[in-house]
Every structure is written in C-alpha cells, then in structure tokens.
Amino acid sequence: MKNAEPLLNEEELLDDLFEIAGRRTEDSENINRPPLSAFKDSWMRLKKNKGAVISLIVLSVILLLAIFGPYMSGYKYYETDYSVAYQPPSGEHWLGTDKFGRDQWTRIWEGTRISLYIAVLAAFLDLLIGVTYGAVSAMLGGKVDNAMQRVIEILVGIPNLIIIILLIMLMKPGIFTITVAMVITGWVNMARLVRAQIFKLKEQEFVLAARSLGSTNKRLILHHLVPNVMGLIVINMMFTIPSAIFTEAFLSFIGLGLQEPLASLGVLINDGFQGMRNHFYLLLYPAIVIVGIMVSFNILADGLRDALDPKMRK
Amino acid sequence: MKKYLFVRIINILITLYIIATATFFLMKQLPGSPFDEERLSNLSEEQRIEFYAKYGLDKPLSEQYVLYLKNLVQGDLGDSFYFKGQGVSELIAGRIGPSALLGFQAVLLGFTLGIVLGIIAAFKHNTMWDFSTMLVAVLGVSVPNFVFAALLQYYVGLKLGILPVAFWESYSSSIMPSLALSLIVIALIARFTRNEMLEVLQQDYMLTARAKGLSQFKVIYKHAIRNALIPVITILGPIVVSLLTGSLVIENIFGVPGIGSLFVDSIKVNDYTTIMGLTLFYSAFFVLTMLVIDLLYGVIDPRIRISGAKE
C-alpha cells in the first residue's frame, strides 16, 4: 500500500493556519462586563423594585409641579378675591378657591415647596451635623465622646416635639423657627447611628493601615470611614425626610407652623378641615398631595434600604 | 443591675431638672404675658399689683425660680393662668382619663390587629394577602395622623353618621379617636410581626414542632408567635412617641378633653404654667417609659446584659 500523499508539504504547514481552540491567557484576564461601581450596583437593584421606581416618578412629578405649578394658573397664592370665595374646582380655578377666593391650585404647590424645602433641609442637617457629630465623637473617643454623648442623651430624653413647641413659643411661628428647631433636634438619630458604626469600624485593619501611612483623623473620617457607612447614612436620611415633612405639616396643622397667608400643606389641610362639611375638596387635594409625598418617600426609603444593604433585606 | 438602675435614675433626674429649668426661663422670655397690657388696662394700678403678687410675678426672677423648683419637688406645678383658680396638677389629673382611655384602646387595637395582619401576611408570603397587608403598613406609617383623622371624621362621622363627630359624651365618642390613633400602631406592629414571623418560620425548631405532630394552631401559637414577638420591645419606643404626638392633634380634632388638647389649648392662650407643667409631665412620662422599656429588654432577653451597657 502506498502512503497517502500529504495535502501540504512541511514548508507549507505554517503556524497561522491553526487556531487555539481553548482559552487564551489574554482573554481570560480580560474584563468583559463593564466595571460596576457600588452606586451602579445599587441603582440596578433599585430599578428592579417596582414600588421604588413608581415612587421616584411620583416624586419627580410632584417636584416639577412644585417648581412650575404656582405659575401655571396665573394667580398668586396670596391673591384674594372675595367675589369667588369657595368655588368648587372648575376650568378657571382648577382645584377651586378657599374662603378668601384664593386659588387652591397655586396654594397647594406653594405648600408643596415648603414641604420639599423641609425635606432638603432635613437631609442636609443629617449629613452636615449628624454625620460630623457622630464621626467626631466616635473617632476621638474618651472624654470628648463622653461629653458629646451626654448632650445627645439630654436631647434624646426630651420628646422632639416638646423642644420644637417650646422654641416656637419663644420665637415667632414660621419657617425660620421650624428650621432652627430642626437644627437642634433633627440630627440626633443620625449621629448615634454613625457613631455606633464607626466605633465598630475604627478597630479594623484598614484603619490601622491608613493611620500608619500617616492619615490624619480628618482624612480617616472623610476618606475611609464615612464611605464605609454611606449606605447606612443614605438609608437613615431617607427615613428622616418623611418624618421631617410630617413634623412641619403637623405643627402647621395645630397652628404653630406657618402663618397665613403663607401656605404649607399643614395649613391647607387645617383650613380644609375647618370647612370640610360643605367644601370637602379643600381638604381632599392637599391631603392627596401630602399622602403622595409621604408614601413615595417611605417606599423609596424601603427600596433604597434593600438596594444599598442587601443584608438587611427581609 | 442595681448600679445601672441607680445611674439611670440619676440621669433621668438630671434630664428632668434641665428641662424644668429650660422651660422656666424660656417661659419668662416669652413675648406677651397671659395678662396682656390691653386686658390689664381696665384694671386699676392696685388691682394689677395684687394680681402680680398673687402669681408671684413681682419677685425677682431668681426668687421665682427657687420657688418654682421648691413647689415642683412637692408635685405642685403652680396655678393655671387661664383656668382661674385651678392648679395645673389638678388640671392634668382631671384630663388624664380620656387620654389614657384613648391610648389604651389604641394600643390594644393596634397590637391585636397588627399581630393578626402580620401573621396572615407571613403565612401567605408573596400573595395578595401579604401585598395588601404591606400596603396597609406603608399607608399607616405614611399617612399623617391628622389627615387620617380628618378623613375618618368626614366619611364615618359626617357621611355615614354612625359615630359622634366631636363631642365627648358617651363611650362611642372614644371609638373614632382611638381608631385614628391606632393606625400607626397597626402599621408598625403588622410590618414588624410579618418580618419576624418570616424569620422564625425558617427556623429548625418549627420543623421539629411540625414533625412531632403538633396541630397548626399549636405550632403557630406556641412556637412561632412567641418567638417572633420577643423583639417587639424594640419598637415600643417609637410607638409611645407616636402615641404622644398623635394625642396632641387627634384629641383636638375630635374634641376630646384630654391632656393633648389641653396642651395645644394652653399654647394658644399663652397659659405659661400649664405649658410648663405639661412639658414636664410629657417629658417625665417619656423618660420613664424609656427606662421601663430598657429594663424589659433584660427581663425578656437575658442575652442583653444591662450591667455592661457599654458600647
């Protein structure tokens, strides 16, 4: 039997005719998926939560209406017109008018602005005072921590509402007083949480490493510890916001918050409540808006907690 | 334990002292006295002096302060400026009944309904039952109590007309305010019970209980609920706070003659002594409740050792 003629000669058998079937080192080391930051990862998880997404949309709509709403009807929130008092919702006044003939649509969105201002303020104070106070207290420890905790203990010992009411009596009721009251009481919870968390973290090796590389306390807190408690901070902030909005509305409702002709949702609900027997729409619409804001913030906070801290998921 | 209790009580006394002092000086700073110049202008000079003397307003501030503290220790909160001739202590004592009734009913209703809802939600996990319970829980936490109370009054009181709207006459007057007050309790407890139950249901001892042939009821009642409800104590604090806050506005809406409406009314008429008294009363109540809750932690869960309460 004759040997079969080879299809190719030795010289023609070149390397580039062959392909590597298995894994290639440079490919296996390649990162195929785009890198996922902690933020993107949380965002992806949040997007899967239907309730949170709907809340986000509702809040965006409310925000837009709060920004543009007061200009849409062409009336001012303090503009009275006694000839059109107590008009039910119509084409002219979309949500009707109150006892002084003021346009309810404008007043509601004007009031929503107040609520959103309170929300931003609460979040800001939580971050600025709460996180700083908690972090400094935990970081310095010892006598400083002890003294700082005594202050917190006293603040926690008094119901928040009492502090706020006493302050309001001392100063004039209004948005400034509520702001001051929140500066005093609003950050305590956050400070306690952050302190407890940083106490746990500061004994860990990465802090020791950073310290031995010469990090100052300030750098340790800002670059090493706070990023590690960021999830907790965001979650707590999201729960502070609705309770701050509630407090303002509550105070305005019992007549200690904003005063006429300024409108806040609490003031509007109180007005509506006084006249609900005959003019129920005056109560209904501000109630819907505040419930919308509160429910959305709460669901969003729940969603964020699940997204940022999967361990806490239940 | 004893040492812990001692330290806590000292702390509480210090807190209350600070609150008393702060309230006293705040009140003295306030613009406008309960005896407005306008109202006083129809009095003669002698009458006015007599008036000030009667309430000790003519003495220097430090003397008033010492007198105030002295009376305070004896449980005397002074005379009300507004309700003539009534001591604040008696005023509070006379008003506490309705508030206590409302609080008690709200807690009772809130716990019963909340626990039942929570158990149903946990057992029918990821079904419509679960979903609607959680909806109730979210709404209960989110809807401001005064909005809920106002809507309740409109629909149940005015539209249906089955319950009295704003009079405090018979027992039926207490139903709607209690309901309004209990909403947040229901929400907190239902959500809490559900989450705890879900955790407990996965425990091995639940399997054991079923395996040894216990009836469904016994499994739930003896093994699941009991273990799920131990940590309920952690949310008692928020519940007490929300009941206190809620009472202020709900008693006002429904015209309940309790301490919540007394507080709001006295603020509106600048009745300083009553405000001071109620502030102290609320604070003392709050601080003592927190103490009881902390002590209960140790009783219910011995793993939490109070003596080493250092973080």
Side-chain angles (χ1 to χ4, degrees):
Chain A
M1 229 174 113
K2 240 172 136 190
N3 269 351
E5 193 76 13
L7 288 168
L8 294 165
N9 302 331
E10 279 292 321
E11 304 90 74
E12 285 170 318
L13 210 60
L14 295 169
D15 265 354
D16 48 85
L17 285 173
F18 294 93
E19 254 176 56
I20 299 171
R23 41 193 287 165
R24 235 181 261 212
T25 33
E26 63 265 31
D27 270 356
S28 68
E29 295 298 314
N30 229 2
I31 297 162
N32 287 320
R33 283 213 237 154
L36 215 50
S37 65
F39 172 77
K40 272 190 200 153
D41 186 41
S42 312
W43 174 239
M44 269 169 57
R45 254 176 283 163
L46 187 69
K47 269 198 296 190
K48 279 191 199 135
N49 185 335
K50 267 185 227 150
V53 173
I54 295 173
S55 305
L56 214 51
I57 295 171
V58 171
L59 284 177
S60 317
V61 171
I62 290 178
L63 179 68
L64 285 178
L65 281 169
I67 295 173
F68 300 111
Y71 307 115
M72 283 160 77
S73 64
Y75 295 95
K76 290 273 185 296
Y77 68 91
Y78 48 80
E79 209 175 289
T80 55
D81 182 357
Y82 291 95
S83 60
V84 291
Y86 284 130
Q87 293 223 333
S90 65
E92 184 56 30
H93 294 281
W94 297 334
L95 295 180
T97 57
D98 68 358
K99 59 187 172 216
F100 299 125
R102 293 176 297 201
D103 185 51
Q104 184 78 352
W105 168 274
T106 316
R107 286 179 70 73
I108 283 182
W109 298 120
E110 201 65 48
T112 310
R113 284 183 178 184
I114 305 277
S115 291
L116 294 179
Y117 161 75
I118 295 286
V120 172
L121 180 72
F124 180 70
L125 289 175
D126 249 6
L127 276 183
L128 194 74
I129 308 183
V131 174
T132 318
Y133 196 99
V136 168
S137 179
M139 216 45 219
L140 296 180
K143 276 193 186 128
V144 181
D145 177 45
N146 219 341
M148 288 174 94
Q149 287 315 301
R150 288 295 88 76
V151 174
I152 285 206
E153 239 161 59
I154 291 169
L155 283 176
V156 171
I158 316 169
N160 268 354
L161 202 71
I162 301 258
I163 302 183
I164 295 176
I165 287 180
L166 287 179
L167 256 181
I168 285 171
M169 301 198 53
L170 187 65
M171 309 201 275
K172 260 197 262 155
I175 195 76
F176 177 71
T177 312
I178 293 182
T179 309
V180 173
M182 281 176 55
V183 169
I184 296 180
T185 62
W187 49 271
V188 177
N189 246 340
M190 178 67 99
R192 296 180 101 190
L193 277 174
V194 169
R195 173 178 173 270
Q197 212 60 28
I198 287 189
F199 245 105
K200 270 187 217 156
L201 285 176
K202 76 171 191 178
E203 301 300 329
Q204 290 193 8
E205 277 83 1
F206 72 90
V207 178
L208 187 67
R211 204 189 279 282
S212 49
L213 285 171
S215 295
T216 54
N217 266 343
K218 186 180 160 202
R219 192 182 160 79
L220 266 178
I221 290 176
L222 288 180
H223 292 266
H224 297 278
L225 293 170
V226 168
N228 270 297
V229 266
M230 210 55 213
L232 186 90
I233 291 173
V234 172
I235 293 164
N236 188 50
M237 208 166 78
M238 286 304 293
F239 281 107
T240 317
I241 288 175
S243 76
I245 294 178
F246 167 77
T247 305
E248 184 278 321
F250 176 88
L251 290 171
S252 297
F253 182 82
I254 58 177
L256 292 176
L258 270 70
Q259 307 289 312
E260 297 273 355
L262 281 175
S264 107
L265 290 174
V267 173
L268 293 175
I269 290 170
N270 188 25
D271 277 356
F273 173 68
Q274 306 298 342
M276 72 176 178
R277 202 173 278 265
N278 300 317
H279 311 284
F280 185 60
Y281 59 89
L282 283 179
L283 170 65
L284 186 65
Y285 296 111
I288 289 176
V289 174
I290 197 166
V291 168
I293 295 178
M294 296 285 288
V295 171
S296 302
F297 266 119
N298 271 314
I299 294 180
L300 187 61
D302 272 349
L304 270 177
R305 180 178 55 195
D306 293 345
L308 288 174
D309 196 348
K311 273 177 292 178
M312 281 168 79
R313 182 172 228 153
K314 284 197 169 173
Chain B
M1 182 67 194
K2 257 188 195 156
K3 193 182 159 215
Y4 170 78
L5 199 61
F6 181 73
V7 171
R8 273 301 291 268
I9 288 176
I10 294 290
N11 266 344
I12 285 177
L13 288 178
I14 293 174
T15 309
L16 288 180
Y17 169 73
I18 291 176
I19 297 171
T21 309
T23 331
F24 178 81
F25 286 105
L26 268 178
M27 290 297 132
K28 294 294 160 191
Q29 295 297 314
L30 284 186
S33 78
F35 315 113
D36 278 333
E37 294 305 314
E38 302 156 32
R39 266 188 265 166
L40 280 182
S41 56
N42 7 350
L43 294 176
S44 71
E45 193 58 29
E46 287 156 31
Q47 278 176 310
R48 194 192 306 196
I49 290 172
E50 196 185 323
F51 221 69
Y52 272 68
K54 189 182 166 202
Y55 289 103
L57 293 173
D58 52 345
K59 297 195 186 81
L61 202 58
S62 55
E63 221 168 291
Q64 287 185 38
Y65 174 61
V66 173
L67 189 72
Y68 168 69
L69 285 184
K70 218 184 262 172
N71 287 338
L72 195 63
V73 175
Q74 294 163 358
D76 180 6
L77 295 168
D79 285 338
S80 165
F81 281 160
Y82 184 74
F83 300 96
K84 297 277 146 55
Q86 283 202 64
V88 174
S89 310
E90 291 100 74
L91 208 57
I92 295 178
R95 292 272 207 138
I96 204 162
S99 294
L101 177 71
L102 291 193
F104 176 72
Q105 290 190 149
V107 167
L108 198 70
L109 183 70
F111 271 70
T112 324
L113 216 62
I115 289 175
V116 170
L117 281 176
I119 290 173
I120 294 175
F123 271 88
K124 313 248 176 199
H125 190 36
N126 285 337
T127 63
M128 275 315 281
W129 288 94
D130 189 16
F131 178 73
S132 32
T133 304
M134 282 306 99
L135 191 71
V136 171
V138 169
L139 282 180
V141 175
S142 314
V143 178
N145 45 22
F146 53 91
V147 172
F148 181 64
L151 293 178
L152 204 64
Q153 204 178 64
Y154 182 76
Y155 284 111
V156 181
L158 287 178
K159 285 277 150 173
L160 295 176
I162 43 175
L163 287 170
V165 178
F167 300 104
W168 187 255
E169 293 159 330
S170 59
Y171 173 73
S172 58
S173 313
S174 76
I175 295 177
M176 268 206 291
S178 302
L179 203 63
L181 210 49
S182 72
L183 179 72
I184 186 141
V185 187
I186 297 176
L188 287 173
I189 295 279
R191 185 193 181 105
F192 175 85
T193 310
R194 169 182 174 270
N195 290 347
E196 290 298 323
M197 279 294 266
L198 284 179
E199 212 146 89
V200 165
L201 286 179
Q202 289 174 354
Q203 300 289 326
D204 290 340
Y205 59 75
M206 290 304 293
L207 193 64
T208 314
R210 269 184 225 284
K212 71 183 181 187
L214 289 185
S215 66
Q216 178 79 354
F217 175 76
K218 265 198 171 163
V219 171
I220 297 176
Y221 175 70
K222 282 222 157 162
H223 294 264
I225 296 182
R226 281 203 182 176
N227 286 305
L229 285 189
I230 287 177
V232 82
I233 208 157
T234 52
I235 56 167
L236 282 184
I239 286 180
V240 170
V241 173
S242 53
L243 284 178
L244 281 186
T245 342
S247 73
L248 290 188
V249 63
I250 281 170
E251 285 181 9
N252 242 6
I253 287 181
F254 290 101
V256 180
I259 45 174
S261 53
L262 179 66
F263 195 27
V264 177
D265 290 344
S266 56
I267 289 171
K268 284 182 180 153
V269 295
N270 277 354
D271 187 352
Y272 296 163
T273 39
T274 311
I275 299 172
M276 281 198 272
L278 279 169
T279 307
L280 270 176
F281 177 82
Y282 269 114
S283 310
F285 180 78
F286 177 77
V287 184
L288 287 177
T289 318
M290 291 303 148
L291 175 67
V292 172
I293 289 173
D294 281 353
L295 292 180
L296 277 178
Y297 268 117
V299 174
I300 287 181
D301 196 342
R303 280 174 299 181
I304 303 166
R305 255 183 296 128
I306 268 173
S307 51
K310 282 248 165 172
E311 281 157 77

